[in-house]
Amino acid sequence: MMNCSDAVFEPEICKRLIAETPMSVMVTDSNLRIIQVNKSFVDTTGYSPAEAIGQTPRLLSSERHDMHFYEAMWHSILDTGQWQGEIWNRRKDGEVYPEWLNINVIRDDDGAVSHYAGVFSDISAYDNSRKRLHHMAHYDALTGLANRVLLYDRLGQAIEKARRDKAMLAVMFIDLDHFKRVNDSLGHRAGDRVLNAVAETLRQQVRQSDTVARISGDEFVVVFSDIQAVEHLARVAGKMVDALEQPFDITGEPAVHVSASIGVSVFPMDGENAESLLQHADIAMYKAKESGRNSFMFYTDQMGKVLQEHLLLERDLRKALDNRELTVVYQPQVCVQDHRITGFEVLLRWYHPLRGWISPAVFIPIAENAGLISVLTRWVFTTACMQLKDWHQRFDQNLKMAVNISGKQFKLGRLDEEILGIIQSTGVAADRIELELTETSLIDNVDKATEMLNSIREHGVCLAIDDFGTGYSSLNYLKMFDVDKLKIDRSFVQALFNGKSDSEIVTAIIGMANNLNIAVIAEGVETKEQLLFLQERGCDEIQGYYFSTPESPAVIAQLLEPPLQEQN
């Protein structure tokens, strides 16, 4: 800070330094009357020297600071001889701006205060950049909603307030249903417009004191403070479900229909910190999806127990391969016309040393969510290929092997390279391998599925659509993926004679497939009546307990052994 009372500088030199410095300078007498300003002061404030001289610094006051601010400032000036900090002032045109200000006391030879010197710089650009950085760090760039960082901060503060006030608060975890279809069918720009529309809808459903956040993709979270009754939350959640079900009018596009699944957790019953409340709301949201989507569900202790059970099973599943608890069995697939075995579906089984047999319907979803599905599929596929090669050598080279592929694997790496690598290493014929995928797994991963499956099919591997009729049943997808076989879901087969609709669906699927030159196999065949129905309508193959349960390789070998007269 310049001090022109020092003997080192002549008064004229001091005046030149003040005039030429790029910093704004304002000098007052001991009574705080302005006696000198420089050009930078004029440029920054808009006041000419004639307008400023004789006035007090209150000329620039923005009135943003209270008396406590100025008391602290003057305490520092009088106690230490200086003060520095950020202050908001006002230009002549009325614009309020931030500046970084240094104030120094200038004393005469006797030590008395003779002048005050203020040197400041306009930091508007810096402040705007700081605000932009703060906004980028705490708000979602697409929707302008709070992001995950700001959500945790606000939720933490809300929890502390609720704890002090002995009040309740709620967390709603909102996930759009099948949103990926919007991006796949209309493009990502239309998808972004839908997300913005959803964000605005959520804003309209909450109070100003509540927080709405977008934490990723199509996942949103709402924090409701000061909840009076859980029943009120149920009404709010119901209104949100209804609001999000309404068509969104996206400019330049047809009206877009989406829906949402919502999970709700309540403080303090369902958790006492942000992490547990969000986790439990997430669990409840998935339960809402499992119950049919387009609905809401409150978290319960039972959900937590199910989660704990899944975590324990996940831990044991990681050890199951090494402990030889996993085995594969094979269910024959049979030609409808001559009852000849044409191939097998390979199925995974788990015998837990303490729990006994665990259903694939239980442990396969756990494997998918835990990232274990690739390891299991690799082991099953390798085992099945080696077994098929053995049966080719011993019995029939035309036998096929059908292997189920999880849709999650399209997101986990180059599935095509892995499958083709196993086929090559085991030496099995590629055209004897059949991959079974569900319609949902294909549609949820259209881009990757198309690329990888085209690569696999170029080497002769066949593609079958599993559980056909339960998903979208789109002719477009049958053409896109060049499907070889449709597998009619067991639910239709088992209900063939319970009502007219199921038999008509099965008849329609078989007729459509025959017209498209696609083979048809029906699973879950358990009676002769079901077999005859399928045979009359032109179904190619069947699979089910009527012919055989899933069996070990040793039992299957006995089924493949030719009759004694053929052996002789």
Side-chain angles (χ1 to χ4, degrees):
M1 180 66 201
M2 294 175 292
N3 190 335
C4 292
S5 64
D6 292 344
V8 176
F9 295 111
E10 295 294 331
E12 195 59 38
I13 296 177
C14 282
K15 287 182 180 180
R16 287 177 56 191
L17 284 172
I18 291 172
E20 295 176 9
T21 181
M23 306 285 282
S24 299
V25 178
M26 173 178 63
V27 181
T28 75
D29 60 20
S30 59
N31 295 317
L32 297 180
R33 293 289 174 182
I34 300 172
I35 62 172
Q36 186 176 359
V37 295
N38 68 350
K39 182 178 182 303
S40 180
F41 173 96
V42 175
D43 294 339
T44 299
T45 67
Y47 288 103
S48 68
E51 292 171 317
I53 292 174
Q55 301 290 330
T56 70
R58 284 191 59 82
L59 174 72
L60 305 177
S61 175
S62 66
E63 299 182 353
R64 279 200 177 188
H65 304 289
D66 58 21
M67 59 179 295
H68 299 294
F69 176 86
Y70 291 108
E71 284 178 355
M73 173 194 290
W74 279 104
H75 178 78
S76 175
I77 292 171
L78 297 176
D79 191 45
T80 67
Q82 64 175 0
W83 178 88
Q84 65 175 350
E86 184 176 318
I87 188 171
W88 286 82
N89 274 335
R90 189 184 304 274
R91 308 186 208 275
K92 182 181 177 180
D93 62 8
E95 179 190 358
V96 175
Y97 69 98
E99 66 181 35
W100 188 261
L101 173 62
N102 289 267
I103 299 175
N104 275 62
V105 174
I106 300 174
R107 300 182 183 275
D108 58 22
D109 294 338
D110 296 326
V113 175
S114 62
H115 300 86
Y116 296 97
V119 179
F120 59 91
S121 57
D122 183 348
I123 58 171
S124 298
Y126 167 78
D127 190 68
N128 289 337
S129 297
R130 183 174 60 184
K131 288 178 180 176
R132 283 196 298 272
L133 289 173
H134 180 273
H135 193 275
M136 291 169 60
H138 294 86
Y139 292 88
D140 175 51
L142 176 65
T143 64
L145 297 178
N147 64 10
R148 186 184 295 269
V149 174
L150 186 55
L151 169 67
Y152 270 88
D153 180 64
R154 288 186 179 174
L155 179 53
Q157 293 180 38
I159 290 172
E160 290 305 314
K161 184 178 186 302
R163 187 175 285 119
R164 288 194 307 270
D165 298 344
K166 293 183 170 47
M168 291 191 299
L169 67 82
V171 172
M172 284 189 184
F173 201 110
I174 303 165
D175 185 88
L176 301 184
D177 300 324
H178 301 304
F179 176 71
K180 191 174 186 302
R181 291 187 217 163
V182 176
N183 284 333
D184 290 342
S185 59
L186 299 178
H188 288 279
R189 288 186 179 179
D192 287 348
R193 289 196 285 270
V194 171
L195 291 173
N196 272 315
V198 168
E200 184 57 34
T201 299
L202 293 177
R203 286 190 189 99
Q204 294 171 2
Q205 299 296 317
V206 305
R207 303 165 300 184
Q208 189 146 4
S209 58
D210 301 322
T211 294
V212 184
R214 176 180 176 234
I215 58 174
S216 69
D218 58 346
E219 292 182 335
F220 298 81
V221 171
V222 180
V223 178
F224 292 93
S225 302
D226 194 23
I227 298 301
Q228 301 302 316
V230 175
E231 292 77 10
H232 172 69
L233 279 174
R235 289 193 294 271
V236 172
K239 286 176 60 180
M240 282 193 172
V241 169
D242 292 341
L244 293 172
E245 192 181 13
Q246 301 304 311
F248 291 104
D249 185 13
I250 307 302
T251 305
E253 302 287 350
V256 177
H257 293 262
V258 297
S259 63
S261 299
I262 300 177
V264 186
S265 63
V266 181
F267 172 89
M269 295 86 81
D270 301 329
E272 296 195 349
N273 56 55
E275 198 70 45
S276 61
L277 287 170
L278 285 166
Q279 182 186 37
H280 291 163
D282 190 19
I283 292 170
M285 181 273 292
Y286 275 105
K287 283 295 180 182
K289 283 192 180 294
E290 290 175 6
S291 67
R293 304 177 190 267
N294 194 29
S295 62
F296 67 90
M297 191 165 289
F298 282 80
Y299 175 79
T300 65
D301 287 339
Q302 184 59 36
M303 292 180 189
K305 291 175 183 176
V306 171
L307 175 63
Q308 183 65 27
E309 179 73 5
H310 283 189
L311 292 175
L312 292 173
L313 283 176
E314 178 188 327
R315 180 199 64 187
D316 293 345
L317 185 56
R318 293 182 184 276
K319 303 175 184 176
L321 263 177
D322 292 335
N323 295 342
R324 299 178 181 270
E325 297 168 17
L326 295 173
T327 56
V328 291
V329 292
Y330 304 86
Q331 186 168 34
Q333 296 177 334
V334 179
C335 175
V336 169
Q337 299 303 321
D338 59 15
H339 300 179
R340 172 179 48 86
I341 294 177
T342 57
F344 305 90
E345 180 182 4
V346 57
L347 301 166
L348 183 61
R349 297 291 184 261
W350 181 16
Y351 186 82
H352 192 284
L354 298 178
R355 302 168 185 258
W357 290 108
I358 298 177
S359 169
V362 172
F363 73 79
I364 293 298
I366 292 174
E368 289 179 330
N369 292 330
L372 296 172
I373 195 65
S374 288
V375 176
L376 294 184
T377 302
R378 189 182 307 119
W379 180 75
V380 169
F381 192 62
T382 302
T383 303
C385 285
M386 293 173 65
Q387 184 61 71
L388 182 61
K389 184 179 180 183
D390 175 62
W391 287 337
H392 280 172
Q393 293 171 344
R394 294 167 57 192
F395 304 114
D396 184 352
Q397 292 188 356
N398 291 317
L399 292 171
K400 282 193 171 186
M401 187 71 77
V403 183
N404 289 284
I405 300 296
S406 166
K408 290 280 182 85
Q409 292 184 262
F410 288 116
K411 301 178 181 180
L412 299 176
R414 295 299 306 190
L415 178 65
D416 53 340
E417 294 176 358
E418 191 160 34
I419 286 175
L420 294 174
I422 293 172
I423 290 173
Q424 183 176 13
S425 65
T426 56
V428 73
D431 62 355
R432 299 293 89 193
I433 297 297
E434 194 172 86
L435 302 183
E436 290 190 357
L437 298 103
T438 64
E439 298 170 84
T440 303
S441 68
L442 292 174
I443 292 171
D444 286 347
N445 303 278
V446 171
D447 294 337
K448 282 194 173 182
T450 303
E451 178 187 356
M452 293 186 187
L453 291 177
N454 285 343
S455 173
I456 292 171
R457 286 189 53 76
E458 286 176 1
H459 291 77
V461 178
C462 300
L463 174 63
I465 303 299
D466 197 7
D467 301 337
F468 191 79
T470 61
Y472 310 101
S473 306
S474 169
L475 294 177
N476 185 48
Y477 287 112
L478 296 182
K479 180 181 177 181
M480 179 187 300
F481 295 109
D482 196 12
V483 174
D484 298 286
K485 185 183 291 186
L486 299 182
K487 195 169 194 178
I488 300 175
D489 186 66
R490 69 176 63 248
S491 63
F492 295 117
V493 174
Q494 292 174 351
L496 276 177
F497 307 111
N498 296 341
K500 189 177 179 182
S501 60
D502 289 285
S503 60
E504 289 178 342
I505 289 173
V506 171
T507 301
I509 292 174
I510 295 173
M512 176 194 67
N514 288 339
N515 289 332
L516 295 174
N517 199 29
I518 298 175
V520 184
I521 181 171
E523 63 177 344
V525 177
E526 298 181 357
T527 68
K528 186 175 182 179
E529 290 75 19
Q530 292 168 346
L531 171 63
L532 292 175
F533 179 95
L534 295 165
Q535 188 177 43
E536 290 171 0
R537 282 152 182 79
C539 185
D540 299 293
E541 297 173 305
I542 62 105
Q543 175 183 337
Y545 287 6
Y546 181 72
F547 278 97
S548 175
T549 57
E551 299 291 354
S552 67
V555 174
I556 295 297
Q558 294 176 8
L559 296 176
L560 292 174
E561 286 284 358
L564 288 175
Q565 60 268 28
E566 291 185 21
Q567 297 181 37
N568 295 330

